[in-house]
C-alpha cells in the first residue's frame, strides 16, 4: 500500500501535504480501501472555517459513512469538485486526483501534532492486529 513520505497524517486516516501556508488534504489509501467503493463525498464550502480534529465533511461508501476530519485549523481555500462529481477518484487515486480540500492554514504549529509516514504506518499496523 502506497504511503508517500512528502505529507503528514492523522490517526483518523487523513493526509495533509503542505505548500507554504496551504495544506492539500485527502484520505489515505488505507482509508479508501477499508471503506470500499466510495459513492458520495460531502465537502465544506470554500471560505468555511475548519478546526483541527473536528469533522469537516463526509465520505460515504457502499459499506459505511465516515467523517473527514480536518488535520489543521484554517479556512477552506478550495474544494475538489471533481472528487464530488466522481467519488471513485478517491478510490482510484487517494494521494493524487482524489484530494478533497485545500486549507489556508491558521496555525503552522498544528503540523507538529500530525504523524510522519512511519508513525502513521504504526497506526495502520496496530489497527490490522
Amino acid at each position: 500500500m502506497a504511503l508517500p513520505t512528502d505529507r503528514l497524517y492523522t490517526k483518523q486516516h487523513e493526509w495533509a501535504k503542505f505548500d507554504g501556508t496551504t495544506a492539500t488534504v485527502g484520505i489515505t489509501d488505507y482509508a479508501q480501501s477499508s471503506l470500499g467503493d466510495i459513492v458520495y463525498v460531502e465537502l465544506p464550502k470554500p471560505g468555511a472555517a475548519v478546526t483541527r480534529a473536528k469533522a469537516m465533511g463526509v465520505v460515504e461508501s457502499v459499506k459505511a459513512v465516515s467523517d473527514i476530519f480536518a488535520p489543521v485549523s484554517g479556512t477552506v481555500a478550495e474544494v475538489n469538485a471533481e472528487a464530488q462529481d466522481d467519488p471513485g477518484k478517491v478510490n482510484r487515486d487517494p494521494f493524487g486526483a482524489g484530494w478533497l480540500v485545500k486549507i489556508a492554514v491558521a496555525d503552522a504549529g498544528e503540523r507538529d501534532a500530525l504523524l510522519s509516514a512511519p508513525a502513521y504506518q504504526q497506526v495502520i499496523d496496530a489497527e490490522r492486529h
Side-chain angles (χ1 to χ4, degrees), residues 45-57:
K45 301 217 178 305
V50 296
T51 303
R52 182 177 70 82
K54 301 281 188 201
M56 66 172 180

PDB file of all heavy atoms in Angstrom, residues 45-57:
ATOM      1  N   LYS A  45     -17.787  24.160   2.097  1.00  0.00           N
ATOM      2  CA  LYS A  45     -17.745  25.150   1.023  1.00  0.00           C
ATOM      3  C   LYS A  45     -16.488  26.009   1.159  1.00  0.00           C
ATOM      4  O   LYS A  45     -15.998  26.230   2.268  1.00  0.00           O
ATOM      5  CB  LYS A  45     -18.974  26.045   1.087  1.00  0.00           C
ATOM      6  CG  LYS A  45     -20.276  25.283   0.976  1.00  0.00           C
ATOM      7  CD  LYS A  45     -21.297  26.058   0.196  1.00  0.00           C
ATOM      8  CE  LYS A  45     -22.596  25.313   0.018  1.00  0.00           C
ATOM      9  NZ  LYS A  45     -22.506  24.021  -0.565  1.00  0.00           N
ATOM     10  N   PRO A  46     -15.954  26.505   0.034  1.00  0.00           N
ATOM     11  CA  PRO A  46     -14.823  27.436   0.125  1.00  0.00           C
ATOM     12  C   PRO A  46     -15.188  28.613   1.035  1.00  0.00           C
ATOM     13  O   PRO A  46     -16.312  29.107   1.009  1.00  0.00           O
ATOM     14  CB  PRO A  46     -14.619  27.894  -1.320  1.00  0.00           C
ATOM     15  CG  PRO A  46     -15.133  26.741  -2.136  1.00  0.00           C
ATOM     16  CD  PRO A  46     -16.306  26.218  -1.355  1.00  0.00           C
ATOM     17  N   GLY A  47     -14.236  28.993   1.868  1.00  0.00           N
ATOM     18  CA  GLY A  47     -14.470  30.070   2.820  1.00  0.00           C
ATOM     19  C   GLY A  47     -14.896  29.580   4.193  1.00  0.00           C
ATOM     20  O   GLY A  47     -14.864  30.333   5.162  1.00  0.00           O
ATOM     21  N   ALA A  48     -15.283  28.309   4.288  1.00  0.00           N
ATOM     22  CA  ALA A  48     -15.704  27.749   5.576  1.00  0.00           C
ATOM     23  C   ALA A  48     -14.500  27.604   6.507  1.00  0.00           C
ATOM     24  O   ALA A  48     -13.403  27.248   6.071  1.00  0.00           O
ATOM     25  CB  ALA A  48     -16.368  26.390   5.374  1.00  0.00           C
ATOM     26  N   ALA A  49     -14.728  27.874   7.774  1.00  0.00           N
ATOM     27  CA  ALA A  49     -13.689  27.661   8.780  1.00  0.00           C
ATOM     28  C   ALA A  49     -13.714  26.195   9.202  1.00  0.00           C
ATOM     29  O   ALA A  49     -14.791  25.617   9.372  1.00  0.00           O
ATOM     30  CB  ALA A  49     -13.935  28.555   9.986  1.00  0.00           C
ATOM     31  N   VAL A  50     -12.529  25.603   9.339  1.00  0.00           N
ATOM     32  CA  VAL A  50     -12.413  24.225   9.822  1.00  0.00           C
ATOM     33  C   VAL A  50     -11.481  24.219  11.030  1.00  0.00           C
ATOM     34  O   VAL A  50     -10.590  25.056  11.148  1.00  0.00           O
ATOM     35  CB  VAL A  50     -11.915  23.250   8.728  1.00  0.00           C
ATOM     36  CG1 VAL A  50     -12.925  23.152   7.599  1.00  0.00           C
ATOM     37  CG2 VAL A  50     -10.557  23.653   8.194  1.00  0.00           C
ATOM     38  N   THR A  51     -11.724  23.278  11.929  1.00  0.00           N
ATOM     39  CA  THR A  51     -10.951  23.177  13.170  1.00  0.00           C
ATOM     40  C   THR A  51     -10.259  21.827  13.225  1.00  0.00           C
ATOM     41  O   THR A  51     -10.894  20.788  12.974  1.00  0.00           O
ATOM     42  CB  THR A  51     -11.883  23.341  14.387  1.00  0.00           C
ATOM     43  OG1 THR A  51     -12.566  24.595  14.265  1.00  0.00           O
ATOM     44  CG2 THR A  51     -11.104  23.313  15.686  1.00  0.00           C
ATOM     45  N   ARG A  52      -8.978  21.850  13.572  1.00  0.00           N
ATOM     46  CA  ARG A  52      -8.189  20.620  13.662  1.00  0.00           C
ATOM     47  C   ARG A  52      -8.911  19.585  14.503  1.00  0.00           C
ATOM     48  O   ARG A  52      -9.451  19.884  15.565  1.00  0.00           O
ATOM     49  CB  ARG A  52      -6.817  20.918  14.268  1.00  0.00           C
ATOM     50  CG  ARG A  52      -5.924  19.700  14.361  1.00  0.00           C
ATOM     51  CD  ARG A  52      -4.553  20.034  14.896  1.00  0.00           C
ATOM     52  NE  ARG A  52      -4.565  20.396  16.289  1.00  0.00           N
ATOM     53  CZ  ARG A  52      -4.571  19.532  17.303  1.00  0.00           C
ATOM     54  NH1 ARG A  52      -4.583  18.235  17.069  1.00  0.00           N
ATOM     55  NH2 ARG A  52      -4.576  19.960  18.543  1.00  0.00           N
ATOM     56  N   ALA A  53      -8.955  18.364  13.995  1.00  0.00           N
ATOM     57  CA  ALA A  53      -9.527  17.190  14.661  1.00  0.00           C
ATOM     58  C   ALA A  53     -11.057  17.214  14.732  1.00  0.00           C
ATOM     59  O   ALA A  53     -11.655  16.349  15.359  1.00  0.00           O
ATOM     60  CB  ALA A  53      -8.932  16.988  16.046  1.00  0.00           C
ATOM     61  N   LYS A  54     -11.701  18.182  14.074  1.00  0.00           N
ATOM     62  CA  LYS A  54     -13.166  18.232  14.015  1.00  0.00           C
ATOM     63  C   LYS A  54     -13.625  17.811  12.622  1.00  0.00           C
ATOM     64  O   LYS A  54     -12.940  18.058  11.627  1.00  0.00           O
ATOM     65  CB  LYS A  54     -13.682  19.645  14.302  1.00  0.00           C
ATOM     66  CG  LYS A  54     -13.275  20.197  15.639  1.00  0.00           C
ATOM     67  CD  LYS A  54     -14.117  19.643  16.752  1.00  0.00           C
ATOM     68  CE  LYS A  54     -13.797  20.381  18.041  1.00  0.00           C
ATOM     69  NZ  LYS A  54     -14.141  19.683  19.212  1.00  0.00           N
ATOM     70  N   ALA A  55     -14.808  17.207  12.546  1.00  0.00           N
ATOM     71  CA  ALA A  55     -15.344  16.763  11.257  1.00  0.00           C
ATOM     72  C   ALA A  55     -15.563  17.963  10.348  1.00  0.00           C
ATOM     73  O   ALA A  55     -16.059  19.009  10.777  1.00  0.00           O
ATOM     74  CB  ALA A  55     -16.641  16.009  11.469  1.00  0.00           C
ATOM     75  N   MET A  56     -15.170  17.808   9.072  1.00  0.00           N
ATOM     76  CA  MET A  56     -15.365  18.883   8.095  1.00  0.00           C
ATOM     77  C   MET A  56     -16.096  18.388   6.849  1.00  0.00           C
ATOM     78  O   MET A  56     -16.373  19.152   5.940  1.00  0.00           O
ATOM     79  CB  MET A  56     -14.032  19.520   7.710  1.00  0.00           C
ATOM     80  CG  MET A  56     -13.097  18.598   6.962  1.00  0.00           C
ATOM     81  SD  MET A  56     -11.663  19.511   6.356  1.00  0.00           S
ATOM     82  CE  MET A  56     -10.788  18.180   5.535  1.00  0.00           C
ATOM     83  N   GLY A  57     -16.384  17.102   6.798  1.00  0.00           N
ATOM     84  CA  GLY A  57     -17.073  16.537   5.652  1.00  0.00           C
ATOM     85  C   GLY A  57     -17.345  15.066   5.885  1.00  0.00           C
ATOM     86  O   GLY A  57     -17.091  14.542   6.972  1.00  0.00           O
TER      87      GLY A  57
END
